Amino acid sequence: MKILKNVFELNKAVKNYKNVGFVPTMGGIHKGHESLIKISQKNNKETIVSIFVNPTQFNQKKDFKNYPRNIKKDISILKKLKVNYLFLPEVNEIYKKKMKNFKLNKSDKILCAKYRKGHFEGVLNVMNRLLSIVKSKNVYMGEKDFQQYMLIKRILGKKYKINIVGCPTIRENNKIALSTRNKLLNNSCIKKASKIAIKLDKIKRLSQTNKLLDLSKSKYELENKFKIKIDYLEFRDEKKMKLDNFKFKYRLFIAYHINGVRLIDNF
Ligand code: AMP
């Protein structure tokens, strides 16, 4: 695996992006990232993974500082997976060029865009920068972060004329979606998060036969039973992300705080 620390090294190593799939990450590589990499490897001759913890998408400095990092372990996993290239830039390398910033439309200010001010602007800006450097035609992103995937697909997929490929959420046996942030949870929180995921999965299944489910009641019950703070618990369709639109395929979206850690998921 070639480790490339800057744009110069990357351009020297990767001359032709035809058949190079791209998996952008913030590291803390887990089975969710691994599944994206495997899908890329299946559909492209070579795969490039980036690890870049992007400071501009964290709305709290403390959250950025506490974000789990373990680059040595990440490199060893990526080598085992036979990833061809790891792009590992410093913050200055990504932000040295002046580029236009993105703004969200009013209709996009839902779910995490509503509760994490500036987050998706930061995500779009860093992805715009990464995609202007890593010129792959196929980019693999997780449906675990469905709103992020949809925004990037619509705005940057179109701009760069590339395929943003949505990949299914990988879960532990206890139903928790794999996430780098899970490393911040203690055992008792993991048990709670598992029960919450099982409950949400059940609510989603019930909704398929009963559209009159009262989500505000479920929200109240979950908050009281598990002592969590829920930012949102909403059904939205996959296409336009409209609230309670059951005409198309839809998902149940949640963001909640447990012991100071914010988790998101969808079912
Ligand atoms: P992150 O390192 O958390 O920024 O994630 C990098 C990519 O991996 C994003 O496209 C995520 O949506 C995706 N990802 C994270 N967790 C999972 C998961 N449990 N299953 C599938 N994809 C995931």
Side-chain angles (χ1 to χ4, degrees), residues 9-242:
E9 287 178 10
L10 180 82
N11 287 342
K12 220 169 105 186
V14 192
K15 289 256 154 34
N16 185 355
Y17 277 98
K18 224 178 137 201
N19 300 317
V20 185
F22 178 31
V23 181
T25 82
M26 296 209 298
I29 301 296
H30 53 63
K31 294 262 174 345
H33 299 123
E34 287 185 33
S35 88
L36 266 54
I37 291 167
K38 284 179 186 157
I39 295 173
S40 168
Q41 288 174 326
K42 220 173 164 181
N43 293 287
N44 302 274
K45 273 197 189 131
E46 294 188 311
T47 290
I48 175 163
V49 172
S50 66
I51 296 182
F52 180 66
V53 186
N54 172 37
T56 68
Q57 72 189 69
F58 289 82
N59 32 3
Q60 287 173 334
K61 273 210 172 116
K62 203 174 129 209
D63 190 24
F64 173 63
K65 204 174 135 249
N66 291 342
Y67 194 80
R69 297 163 169 88
N70 192 342
I71 196 66
K72 265 196 189 154
K73 193 169 164 213
D74 287 351
I75 290 175
S76 117
I77 299 172
L78 296 177
K79 275 185 180 163
K80 268 193 208 129
L81 288 172
K82 300 199 172 5
V83 165
N84 306 87
Y85 310 100
L86 168 60
F87 184 43
L88 197 58
E90 297 284 344
V91 174
N92 291 346
E93 186 65 16
I94 294 298
Y95 283 99
K96 66 183 174 195
K97 235 171 99 181
K98 228 185 168 166
M99 282 180 93
K100 189 184 138 249
N101 278 343
F102 284 88
K103 285 223 167 83
L104 293 184
N105 300 330
K106 206 173 156 206
S107 59
D108 287 328
K109 292 192 177 161
I110 55 167
L111 305 175
C112 285
K114 183 171 161 194
Y115 287 89
R116 288 185 82 187
K117 294 244 153 43
H119 168 66
F120 284 124
E121 287 84 349
V123 169
L124 283 164
N125 285 329
V126 77
M127 280 302 294
N128 185 33
R129 286 165 185 274
L130 284 171
L131 294 174
S132 73
I133 297 168
V134 182
K135 300 184 180 77
S136 296
K137 287 280 167 234
N138 299 320
V139 179
Y140 297 85
M141 307 209 69
E143 290 178 353
K144 146 91 169 45
D145 302 282
F146 197 82
Q147 191 180 11
Q148 164 177 280
Y149 154 65
M150 288 297 282
L151 280 170
I152 290 175
K153 189 180 171 79
R154 197 188 75 213
I155 298 170
L156 298 176
K158 215 168 166 187
K159 173 175 172 184
Y160 289 96
K161 298 191 176 66
I162 54 176
N163 307 313
I164 306 290
V165 184
C167 307
T169 302
I170 304 299
R171 296 180 182 279
E172 307 270 15
N173 288 337
N174 63 12
K175 282 259 185 241
I176 298 181
L178 282 136
S179 163
T180 305
R181 284 180 195 277
N182 294 351
K183 296 192 176 82
L184 300 170
L185 302 176
N186 61 27
N187 278 344
S188 131
C189 288
I190 291 193
K191 274 190 195 137
K192 277 191 194 176
S194 158
K195 284 183 185 156
I196 293 164
I198 291 165
K199 175 81 185 161
L200 294 170
D201 190 41
K202 207 164 151 189
I203 296 176
K204 167 71 193 286
R205 274 186 286 117
L206 277 174
S207 74
Q208 276 147 358
T209 48
N210 175 13
K211 300 285 177 280
L212 297 172
L213 270 177
D214 184 358
L215 276 188
S216 60
K217 196 171 150 223
S218 307
K219 183 171 178 252
Y220 178 81
E221 284 170 2
L222 284 166
E223 286 188 317
N224 280 293
K225 185 164 180 199
F226 298 108
K227 303 281 169 275
I228 56 171
K229 166 83 183 65
I230 297 180
D231 280 349
Y232 57 76
L233 178 67
E234 293 174 356
F235 288 118
R236 289 188 178 263
D237 74 86
E238 287 189 3
K239 220 170 157 189
K240 300 251 162 144
M241 303 289 279
K242 286 241 162 33

